[in-house]
Amino acid sequence: MRNKDKLSYIILGLLRTEPMSGYDLKKKFESEVGEFWQANTGQIYPSLKVLLNDKAVTYDVEIVGEKLEKKTYRITAYGEELFNTWLTHAVDRYPIQKDEFMLRLYFMDTDNEENMRKLVSDEREVHQKKLNYLLQRKAIIFGDDDTAQKSGHYLVLDFAIQRETMKIEWLSQLSLSFDNKKTRVK
């Protein structure tokens, strides 16, 4: 397996929890893993092919309907070994963040205050929906289980909740500053 193919390691990690089809993996990237890593089917299936060639995963075929084949992938002992080795290595570098909201905000000036106000309001709404979703996921997955607080999944979810809460607070402060400025001008 290529040394820097992070997606393959993520797939191995997901397959450690349970066998999954490519479609199941895609759904994981749309929900849980999507909080910190994005991947689509055009990336997932080639990574699965590499993992199969390297004997890090295997699959079973099941016939769905009359003749549709569904492959369910499982991690092998070798895949477990690769994954565990990857877990022990330090993170070599952090990815560059792409945030279109911040980019737009950066380029706005005082002449664009009404656009800025709308941009901030829309962004706050997006983060509020995201926070609501994360809180719901936390309740569904962990409930009141205090022992879960030591799992990596819990910690990542907790971080995402704190991140969204902080963004909402910051965006709310921006909105208030617009309102205060408008009141002073009148």
CSV table of all heavy atoms in Angstrom, one decimal, residues 77-128:
chain,number,residue,atom,x,y,z
A,77,ALA,N,-6.1,-10.0,8.7
A,77,ALA,CA,-5.1,-9.9,9.7
A,77,ALA,C,-4.0,-9.0,9.3
A,77,ALA,O,-3.5,-8.1,10.1
A,77,ALA,CB,-4.5,-11.3,10.1
A,78,TYR,N,-3.6,-9.1,8.0
A,78,TYR,CA,-2.5,-8.2,7.5
A,78,TYR,C,-3.1,-6.7,7.5
A,78,TYR,O,-2.3,-5.8,7.9
A,78,TYR,CB,-2.1,-8.6,6.1
A,78,TYR,CG,-1.1,-7.7,5.5
A,78,TYR,CD1,0.2,-7.5,6.0
A,78,TYR,CD2,-1.4,-6.9,4.4
A,78,TYR,CE1,1.1,-6.7,5.5
A,78,TYR,CE2,-0.5,-6.0,3.8
A,78,TYR,CZ,0.8,-5.9,4.4
A,78,TYR,OH,1.7,-5.1,3.8
A,79,GLY,N,-4.3,-6.5,7.2
A,79,GLY,CA,-4.9,-5.2,7.2
A,79,GLY,C,-4.9,-4.6,8.6
A,79,GLY,O,-4.7,-3.4,8.8
A,80,GLU,N,-5.2,-5.5,9.6
A,80,GLU,CA,-5.2,-5.1,11.0
A,80,GLU,C,-3.8,-4.6,11.4
A,80,GLU,O,-3.6,-3.6,12.0
A,80,GLU,CB,-5.6,-6.2,11.9
A,80,GLU,CG,-7.1,-6.5,11.9
A,80,GLU,CD,-7.9,-5.7,12.9
A,80,GLU,OE1,-7.3,-4.9,13.7
A,80,GLU,OE2,-9.1,-5.9,12.9
A,81,GLU,N,-2.8,-5.4,10.9
A,81,GLU,CA,-1.4,-5.0,11.2
A,81,GLU,C,-1.0,-3.7,10.6
A,81,GLU,O,-0.4,-2.8,11.3
A,81,GLU,CB,-0.5,-6.1,10.7
A,81,GLU,CG,1.0,-6.0,11.0
A,81,GLU,CD,1.8,-7.1,10.3
A,81,GLU,OE1,1.3,-8.3,10.4
A,81,GLU,OE2,2.8,-6.8,9.8
A,82,LEU,N,-1.4,-3.5,9.4
A,82,LEU,CA,-1.1,-2.2,8.7
A,82,LEU,C,-1.8,-1.0,9.4
A,82,LEU,O,-1.2,0.0,9.7
A,82,LEU,CB,-1.6,-2.2,7.2
A,82,LEU,CG,-0.8,-3.0,6.2
A,82,LEU,CD1,-1.6,-3.0,4.9
A,82,LEU,CD2,0.5,-2.3,6.0
A,83,PHE,N,-3.1,-1.2,9.8
A,83,PHE,CA,-3.8,-0.2,10.4
A,83,PHE,C,-3.2,0.1,11.8
A,83,PHE,O,-3.0,1.3,12.1
A,83,PHE,CB,-5.3,-0.6,10.6
A,83,PHE,CG,-6.1,0.4,11.3
A,83,PHE,CD1,-6.5,1.5,10.5
A,83,PHE,CD2,-6.5,0.3,12.6
A,83,PHE,CE1,-7.3,2.5,11.2
A,83,PHE,CE2,-7.2,1.3,13.2
A,83,PHE,CZ,-7.7,2.4,12.5
A,84,ASN,N,-2.9,-0.9,12.6
A,84,ASN,CA,-2.3,-0.6,13.9
A,84,ASN,C,-1.0,0.1,13.8
A,84,ASN,O,-0.6,0.9,14.7
A,84,ASN,CB,-2.2,-2.0,14.7
A,84,ASN,CG,-3.6,-2.5,15.1
A,84,ASN,OD1,-4.5,-1.7,15.3
A,84,ASN,ND2,-3.7,-3.8,15.2
A,85,THR,N,-0.2,-0.3,12.8
A,85,THR,CA,1.1,0.4,12.6
A,85,THR,C,0.9,1.9,12.3
A,85,THR,O,1.5,2.8,12.9
A,85,THR,CB,1.9,-0.2,11.5
A,85,THR,OG1,2.2,-1.6,11.9
A,85,THR,CG2,3.2,0.5,11.3
A,86,TRP,N,-0.1,2.2,11.4
A,86,TRP,CA,-0.4,3.5,11.1
A,86,TRP,C,-0.9,4.3,12.3
A,86,TRP,O,-0.5,5.5,12.5
A,86,TRP,CB,-1.5,3.5,10.0
A,86,TRP,CG,-2.0,4.9,9.7
A,86,TRP,CD1,-1.4,5.9,8.9
A,86,TRP,CD2,-3.3,5.4,10.0
A,86,TRP,NE1,-2.2,7.0,8.8
A,86,TRP,CE2,-3.4,6.7,9.5
A,86,TRP,CE3,-4.4,4.9,10.7
A,86,TRP,CZ2,-4.5,7.6,9.6
A,86,TRP,CZ3,-5.5,5.8,10.8
A,86,TRP,CH2,-5.5,7.0,10.3
A,87,LEU,N,-1.7,3.7,13.2
A,87,LEU,CA,-2.2,4.4,14.4
A,87,LEU,C,-1.0,4.9,15.3
A,87,LEU,O,-1.2,5.9,16.0
A,87,LEU,CB,-3.1,3.5,15.2
A,87,LEU,CG,-4.5,3.3,14.7
A,87,LEU,CD1,-5.3,2.4,15.7
A,87,LEU,CD2,-5.2,4.7,14.6
A,88,THR,N,0.1,4.2,15.3
A,88,THR,CA,1.2,4.5,16.2
A,88,THR,C,2.1,5.6,15.7
A,88,THR,O,2.9,6.1,16.4
A,88,THR,CB,2.0,3.3,16.5
A,88,THR,OG1,2.6,2.8,15.3
A,88,THR,CG2,1.2,2.2,17.2
A,89,HIS,N,2.0,5.9,14.4
A,89,HIS,CA,2.9,7.0,13.8
A,89,HIS,C,2.3,8.4,14.1
A,89,HIS,O,1.1,8.6,14.1
A,89,HIS,CB,3.1,6.8,12.3
A,89,HIS,CG,3.9,5.6,12.0
A,89,HIS,ND1,3.4,4.4,11.6
A,89,HIS,CD2,5.3,5.5,12.0
A,89,HIS,CE1,4.4,3.6,11.4
A,89,HIS,NE2,5.5,4.2,11.6
A,90,ALA,N,3.2,9.3,14.3
A,90,ALA,CA,2.8,10.7,14.5
A,90,ALA,C,2.2,11.3,13.2
A,90,ALA,O,2.5,10.9,12.1
A,90,ALA,CB,4.0,11.5,14.9
A,91,VAL,N,1.3,12.2,13.4
A,91,VAL,CA,0.7,12.9,12.3
A,91,VAL,C,1.8,13.8,11.7
A,91,VAL,O,2.4,14.6,12.3
A,91,VAL,CB,-0.5,13.8,12.7
A,91,VAL,CG1,-1.0,14.6,11.5
A,91,VAL,CG2,-1.6,12.9,13.3
A,92,ASP,N,2.1,13.6,10.4
A,92,ASP,CA,3.2,14.3,9.8
A,92,ASP,C,2.9,15.8,9.4
A,92,ASP,O,3.7,16.6,9.5
A,92,ASP,CB,3.7,13.5,8.5
A,92,ASP,CG,2.6,13.2,7.5
A,92,ASP,OD1,1.5,13.4,7.8
A,92,ASP,OD2,3.0,12.6,6.5
A,93,ARG,N,1.7,16.1,9.0
A,93,ARG,CA,1.3,17.4,8.7
A,93,ARG,C,-0.2,17.6,8.6
A,93,ARG,O,-0.9,16.6,8.3
A,93,ARG,CB,2.0,18.0,7.4
A,93,ARG,CG,1.4,17.6,6.1
A,93,ARG,CD,2.1,18.2,4.9
A,93,ARG,NE,1.5,19.3,4.4
A,93,ARG,CZ,0.6,19.3,3.4
A,93,ARG,NH1,0.3,18.2,2.8
A,93,ARG,NH2,0.1,20.4,3.0
A,94,TYR,N,-0.6,18.7,8.9
A,94,TYR,CA,-2.1,19.0,8.9
A,94,TYR,C,-2.5,19.6,7.5
A,94,TYR,O,-1.8,20.4,7.0
A,94,TYR,CB,-2.4,19.9,10.0
A,94,TYR,CG,-2.2,19.2,11.3
A,94,TYR,CD1,-1.0,19.5,12.0
A,94,TYR,CD2,-3.1,18.4,11.9
A,94,TYR,CE1,-0.7,18.8,13.2
A,94,TYR,CE2,-2.8,17.7,13.1
A,94,TYR,CZ,-1.7,18.0,13.8
A,94,TYR,OH,-1.4,17.3,14.9
A,95,PRO,N,-3.6,19.2,7.0
A,95,PRO,CA,-4.1,19.7,5.7
A,95,PRO,C,-4.5,21.2,5.8
A,95,PRO,O,-4.8,21.7,6.9
A,95,PRO,CB,-5.3,18.9,5.4
A,95,PRO,CG,-5.8,18.4,6.8
A,95,PRO,CD,-4.6,18.3,7.7
A,96,ILE,N,-4.3,21.8,4.7
A,96,ILE,CA,-4.8,23.2,4.6
A,96,ILE,C,-6.3,23.2,4.6
A,96,ILE,O,-6.9,22.5,3.8
A,96,ILE,CB,-4.2,23.8,3.3
A,96,ILE,CG1,-2.7,23.9,3.3
A,96,ILE,CG2,-4.8,25.2,3.0
A,96,ILE,CD1,-2.0,24.2,2.0
A,97,GLN,N,-6.8,24.1,5.4
A,97,GLN,CA,-8.3,24.2,5.5
A,97,GLN,C,-8.8,25.0,4.3
A,97,GLN,O,-8.2,26.0,3.9
A,97,GLN,CB,-8.7,24.9,6.8
A,97,GLN,CG,-8.3,24.1,8.0
A,97,GLN,CD,-9.1,22.8,8.1
A,97,GLN,OE1,-10.3,22.8,7.9
A,97,GLN,NE2,-8.4,21.8,8.4
A,98,LYS,N,-9.9,24.6,3.7
A,98,LYS,CA,-10.6,25.4,2.7
A,98,LYS,C,-11.9,25.8,3.3
A,98,LYS,O,-12.8,25.0,3.5
A,98,LYS,CB,-10.8,24.5,1.5
A,98,LYS,CG,-9.5,24.2,0.8
A,98,LYS,CD,-9.7,23.3,-0.5
A,98,LYS,CE,-8.4,23.0,-1.1
A,98,LYS,NZ,-8.6,22.2,-2.3
A,99,ASP,N,-12.1,27.1,3.5
A,99,ASP,CA,-13.3,27.6,4.1
A,99,ASP,C,-13.8,28.8,3.3
A,99,ASP,O,-13.3,29.9,3.4
A,99,ASP,CB,-13.0,28.0,5.5
A,99,ASP,CG,-14.2,28.4,6.3
A,99,ASP,OD1,-15.2,28.9,5.7
A,99,ASP,OD2,-14.2,28.3,7.5
A,100,GLU,N,-14.8,28.5,2.4
A,100,GLU,CA,-15.3,29.6,1.5
A,100,GLU,C,-15.9,30.8,2.3
A,100,GLU,O,-15.7,31.9,1.9
A,100,GLU,CB,-16.3,29.0,0.5
A,100,GLU,CG,-16.7,30.0,-0.6
A,100,GLU,CD,-17.6,29.4,-1.6
A,100,GLU,OE1,-17.8,28.2,-1.6
A,100,GLU,OE2,-18.1,30.2,-2.4
A,101,PHE,N,-16.5,30.5,3.4
A,101,PHE,CA,-17.1,31.6,4.2
A,101,PHE,C,-16.0,32.5,4.6
A,101,PHE,O,-16.1,33.8,4.4
A,101,PHE,CB,-17.8,31.0,5.4
A,101,PHE,CG,-18.1,32.1,6.4
A,101,PHE,CD1,-19.2,33.0,6.2
A,101,PHE,CD2,-17.3,32.2,7.6
A,101,PHE,CE1,-19.4,34.0,7.2
A,101,PHE,CE2,-17.6,33.2,8.5
A,101,PHE,CZ,-18.6,34.1,8.3
A,102,MET,N,-14.9,32.0,5.2
A,102,MET,CA,-13.8,32.9,5.7
A,102,MET,C,-13.2,33.6,4.5
A,102,MET,O,-12.8,34.8,4.6
A,102,MET,CB,-12.8,32.1,6.4
A,102,MET,CG,-13.3,31.6,7.8
A,102,MET,SD,-13.8,33.0,8.8
A,102,MET,CE,-12.9,32.6,10.2
A,103,LEU,N,-13.1,33.0,3.4
A,103,LEU,CA,-12.5,33.6,2.2
A,103,LEU,C,-13.4,34.8,1.7
A,103,LEU,O,-12.8,35.9,1.5
A,103,LEU,CB,-12.4,32.6,1.1
A,103,LEU,CG,-11.6,33.0,-0.2
A,103,LEU,CD1,-10.2,33.4,0.2
A,103,LEU,CD2,-11.6,31.9,-1.2
A,104,ARG,N,-14.7,34.6,1.7
A,104,ARG,CA,-15.6,35.7,1.3
A,104,ARG,C,-15.5,36.8,2.3
A,104,ARG,O,-15.5,38.0,2.0
A,104,ARG,CB,-17.0,35.2,1.2
A,104,ARG,CG,-17.2,34.3,-0.1
A,104,ARG,CD,-18.6,33.9,-0.1
A,104,ARG,NE,-18.8,33.0,-1.3
A,104,ARG,CZ,-20.0,32.7,-1.8
A,104,ARG,NH1,-21.1,33.3,-1.3
A,104,ARG,NH2,-20.1,31.9,-2.8
A,105,LEU,N,-15.5,36.4,3.6
A,105,LEU,CA,-15.5,37.4,4.7
A,105,LEU,C,-14.2,38.3,4.6
A,105,LEU,O,-14.2,39.5,4.7
A,105,LEU,CB,-15.6,36.8,6.0
A,105,LEU,CG,-15.8,37.6,7.2
A,105,LEU,CD1,-17.1,38.5,7.1
A,105,LEU,CD2,-15.8,36.8,8.5
A,106,TYR,N,-13.1,37.6,4.3
A,106,TYR,CA,-11.8,38.3,4.1
A,106,TYR,C,-11.9,39.4,3.1
A,106,TYR,O,-11.3,40.4,3.3
A,106,TYR,CB,-10.8,37.2,3.8
A,106,TYR,CG,-9.4,37.8,3.6
A,106,TYR,CD1,-8.6,38.0,4.7
A,106,TYR,CD2,-8.9,38.1,2.3
A,106,TYR,CE1,-7.3,38.5,4.5
A,106,TYR,CE2,-7.6,38.6,2.1
A,106,TYR,CZ,-6.8,38.8,3.2
A,106,TYR,OH,-5.6,39.3,3.0
A,107,PHE,N,-12.6,39.1,2.0
A,107,PHE,CA,-12.6,40.1,0.9
A,107,PHE,C,-13.7,41.2,1.0
A,107,PHE,O,-13.7,42.1,0.2
A,107,PHE,CB,-12.7,39.4,-0.4
A,107,PHE,CG,-11.4,38.7,-0.8
A,107,PHE,CD1,-11.4,37.3,-0.9
A,107,PHE,CD2,-10.3,39.4,-1.1
A,107,PHE,CE1,-10.2,36.6,-1.2
A,107,PHE,CE2,-9.1,38.7,-1.5
A,107,PHE,CZ,-9.1,37.4,-1.5
A,108,MET,N,-14.5,41.1,2.0
A,108,MET,CA,-15.6,42.1,2.1
A,108,MET,C,-15.0,43.3,2.9
A,108,MET,O,-14.2,43.1,3.8
A,108,MET,CB,-16.8,41.5,2.8
A,108,MET,CG,-17.6,40.6,2.0
A,108,MET,SD,-19.1,40.2,2.7
A,108,MET,CE,-19.8,39.2,1.5
A,109,ASP,N,-15.5,44.5,2.6
A,109,ASP,CA,-15.1,45.6,3.3
A,109,ASP,C,-16.4,46.4,3.8
A,109,ASP,O,-17.5,45.9,3.7
A,109,ASP,CB,-14.3,46.6,2.5
A,109,ASP,CG,-14.9,47.0,1.2
A,109,ASP,OD1,-16.2,46.9,1.1
A,109,ASP,OD2,-14.2,47.3,0.2
A,110,THR,N,-16.2,47.5,4.4
A,110,THR,CA,-17.4,48.2,5.0
A,110,THR,C,-18.4,48.6,4.0
A,110,THR,O,-19.6,48.8,4.4
A,110,THR,CB,-16.9,49.5,5.8
A,110,THR,OG1,-16.1,50.3,4.9
A,110,THR,CG2,-16.0,49.1,7.0
A,111,ASP,N,-18.1,48.7,2.8
A,111,ASP,CA,-19.1,49.0,1.7
A,111,ASP,C,-20.0,47.8,1.5
A,111,ASP,O,-21.1,48.0,0.9
A,111,ASP,CB,-18.4,49.3,0.4
A,111,ASP,CG,-17.6,50.6,0.5
A,111,ASP,OD1,-17.9,51.4,1.4
A,111,ASP,OD2,-16.7,50.8,-0.4
A,112,ASN,N,-19.7,46.7,2.0
A,112,ASN,CA,-20.5,45.4,1.8
A,112,ASN,C,-21.2,45.0,3.1
A,112,ASN,O,-21.4,43.8,3.2
A,112,ASN,CB,-19.6,44.3,1.3
A,112,ASN,CG,-19.0,44.5,0.0
A,112,ASN,OD1,-19.3,45.4,-0.7
A,112,ASN,ND2,-18.0,43.6,-0.4
A,113,GLU,N,-21.5,45.9,3.9
A,113,GLU,CA,-22.0,45.5,5.3
A,113,GLU,C,-23.3,44.7,5.2
A,113,GLU,O,-23.4,43.7,5.9
A,113,GLU,CB,-22.2,46.8,6.1
A,113,GLU,CG,-22.6,46.3,7.6
A,113,GLU,CD,-22.7,47.5,8.5
A,113,GLU,OE1,-21.9,48.5,8.4
A,113,GLU,OE2,-23.6,47.4,9.4
A,114,GLU,N,-24.2,45.1,4.3
A,114,GLU,CA,-25.4,44.3,4.2
A,114,GLU,C,-25.2,42.9,3.7
A,114,GLU,O,-25.7,41.9,4.2
A,114,GLU,CB,-26.4,45.1,3.3
A,114,GLU,CG,-27.9,44.8,3.5
A,114,GLU,CD,-28.3,44.9,5.0
A,114,GLU,OE1,-27.9,45.8,5.7
A,114,GLU,OE2,-28.9,43.9,5.5
A,115,ASN,N,-24.3,42.8,2.7
A,115,ASN,CA,-23.9,41.4,2.2
A,115,ASN,C,-23.2,40.6,3.4
A,115,ASN,O,-23.4,39.4,3.5
A,115,ASN,CB,-23.0,41.5,1.0
A,115,ASN,CG,-23.7,42.0,-0.2
A,115,ASN,OD1,-24.9,41.9,-0.3
A,115,ASN,ND2,-23.0,42.5,-1.1
A,116,MET,N,-22.3,41.3,4.1
A,116,MET,CA,-21.6,40.7,5.2
A,116,MET,C,-22.6,40.2,6.3
A,116,MET,O,-22.5,39.1,6.8
A,116,MET,CB,-20.6,41.7,5.8
A,116,MET,CG,-19.6,41.0,6.8
A,116,MET,SD,-18.5,42.2,7.5
A,116,MET,CE,-17.6,42.8,6.1
A,117,ARG,N,-23.6,41.0,6.6
A,117,ARG,CA,-24.6,40.7,7.6
A,117,ARG,C,-25.3,39.4,7.1
A,117,ARG,O,-25.5,38.5,7.9
A,117,ARG,CB,-25.6,41.8,7.7
A,117,ARG,CG,-26.7,41.6,8.7
A,117,ARG,CD,-27.7,42.7,8.7
A,117,ARG,NE,-27.2,44.0,8.9
A,117,ARG,CZ,-27.0,44.6,10.0
A,117,ARG,NH1,-27.4,44.0,11.1
A,117,ARG,NH2,-26.5,45.8,10.1
A,118,LYS,N,-25.7,39.3,5.9
A,118,LYS,CA,-26.4,38.1,5.3
A,118,LYS,C,-25.5,36.9,5.3
A,118,LYS,O,-25.9,35.8,5.7
A,118,LYS,CB,-26.9,38.4,3.9
A,118,LYS,CG,-27.7,37.2,3.4
A,118,LYS,CD,-28.5,37.5,2.2
A,118,LYS,CE,-29.2,36.3,1.6
A,118,LYS,NZ,-29.3,35.1,2.2
A,119,LEU,N,-24.3,37.1,4.9
A,119,LEU,CA,-23.3,36.0,4.9
A,119,LEU,C,-23.1,35.4,6.3
A,119,LEU,O,-23.1,34.2,6.5
A,119,LEU,CB,-21.9,36.5,4.4
A,119,LEU,CG,-20.8,35.5,4.2
A,119,LEU,CD1,-21.1,34.5,3.1
A,119,LEU,CD2,-19.5,36.2,4.0
A,120,VAL,N,-23.0,36.3,7.3
A,120,VAL,CA,-22.8,35.9,8.7
A,120,VAL,C,-24.1,35.2,9.2
A,120,VAL,O,-24.0,34.1,9.8
A,120,VAL,CB,-22.4,37.1,9.6
A,120,VAL,CG1,-22.5,36.7,11.1
A,120,VAL,CG2,-21.0,37.6,9.3
A,121,SER,N,-25.2,35.7,8.9
A,121,SER,CA,-26.5,35.1,9.3
A,121,SER,C,-26.7,33.7,8.7
A,121,SER,O,-27.0,32.8,9.4
A,121,SER,CB,-27.6,36.0,8.9
A,121,SER,OG,-28.9,35.4,9.2
A,122,ASP,N,-26.4,33.6,7.4
A,122,ASP,CA,-26.5,32.3,6.7
A,122,ASP,C,-25.5,31.3,7.3
A,122,ASP,O,-25.9,30.1,7.5
A,122,ASP,CB,-26.3,32.5,5.2
A,122,ASP,CG,-27.4,33.2,4.5
A,122,ASP,OD1,-28.4,33.5,5.1
A,122,ASP,OD2,-27.2,33.6,3.3
A,123,GLU,N,-24.3,31.8,7.6
A,123,GLU,CA,-23.3,30.9,8.1
A,123,GLU,C,-23.7,30.4,9.5
A,123,GLU,O,-23.5,29.2,9.9
A,123,GLU,CB,-21.9,31.6,8.1
A,123,GLU,CG,-20.8,30.7,8.5
A,123,GLU,CD,-20.4,29.7,7.4
A,123,GLU,OE1,-20.9,29.7,6.3
A,123,GLU,OE2,-19.4,28.9,7.7
A,124,ARG,N,-24.2,31.3,10.3
A,124,ARG,CA,-24.7,30.9,11.7
A,124,ARG,C,-25.7,29.8,11.6
A,124,ARG,O,-25.7,28.8,12.3
A,124,ARG,CB,-25.2,32.1,12.4
A,124,ARG,CG,-25.5,31.8,13.9
A,124,ARG,CD,-26.1,33.0,14.6
A,124,ARG,NE,-26.3,32.7,16.0
A,124,ARG,CZ,-27.3,31.9,16.4
A,124,ARG,NH1,-28.1,31.3,15.6
A,124,ARG,NH2,-27.4,31.7,17.7
A,125,GLU,N,-26.7,30.0,10.6
A,125,GLU,CA,-27.7,29.0,10.5
A,125,GLU,C,-27.1,27.6,10.1
A,125,GLU,O,-27.6,26.6,10.6
A,125,GLU,CB,-28.7,29.5,9.4
A,125,GLU,CG,-29.9,28.6,9.3
A,125,GLU,CD,-30.9,29.2,8.3
A,125,GLU,OE1,-31.1,30.4,8.2
A,125,GLU,OE2,-31.4,28.4,7.5
A,126,VAL,N,-26.2,27.6,9.2
A,126,VAL,CA,-25.5,26.3,8.8
A,126,VAL,C,-24.9,25.7,10.0
A,126,VAL,O,-25.0,24.5,10.2
A,126,VAL,CB,-24.4,26.6,7.7
A,126,VAL,CG1,-23.5,25.4,7.5
A,126,VAL,CG2,-25.1,27.0,6.4
A,127,HIS,N,-24.2,26.4,10.8
A,127,HIS,CA,-23.5,25.8,12.0
A,127,HIS,C,-24.5,25.4,13.1
A,127,HIS,O,-24.2,24.5,13.8
A,127,HIS,CB,-22.4,26.8,12.5
A,127,HIS,CG,-21.2,26.9,11.6
A,127,HIS,ND1,-20.3,25.9,11.5
A,127,HIS,CD2,-20.8,27.8,10.7
A,127,HIS,CE1,-19.4,26.2,10.6
A,127,HIS,NE2,-19.7,27.4,10.1
A,128,GLN,N,-25.6,26.1,13.2
A,128,GLN,CA,-26.6,25.7,14.1
A,128,GLN,C,-27.2,24.4,13.8
A,128,GLN,O,-27.4,23.5,14.6
A,128,GLN,CB,-27.7,26.8,14.3
A,128,GLN,CG,-28.7,26.5,15.4
A,128,GLN,CD,-28.0,26.4,16.8
A,128,GLN,OE1,-27.4,27.4,17.2
A,128,GLN,NE2,-28.1,25.3,17.5
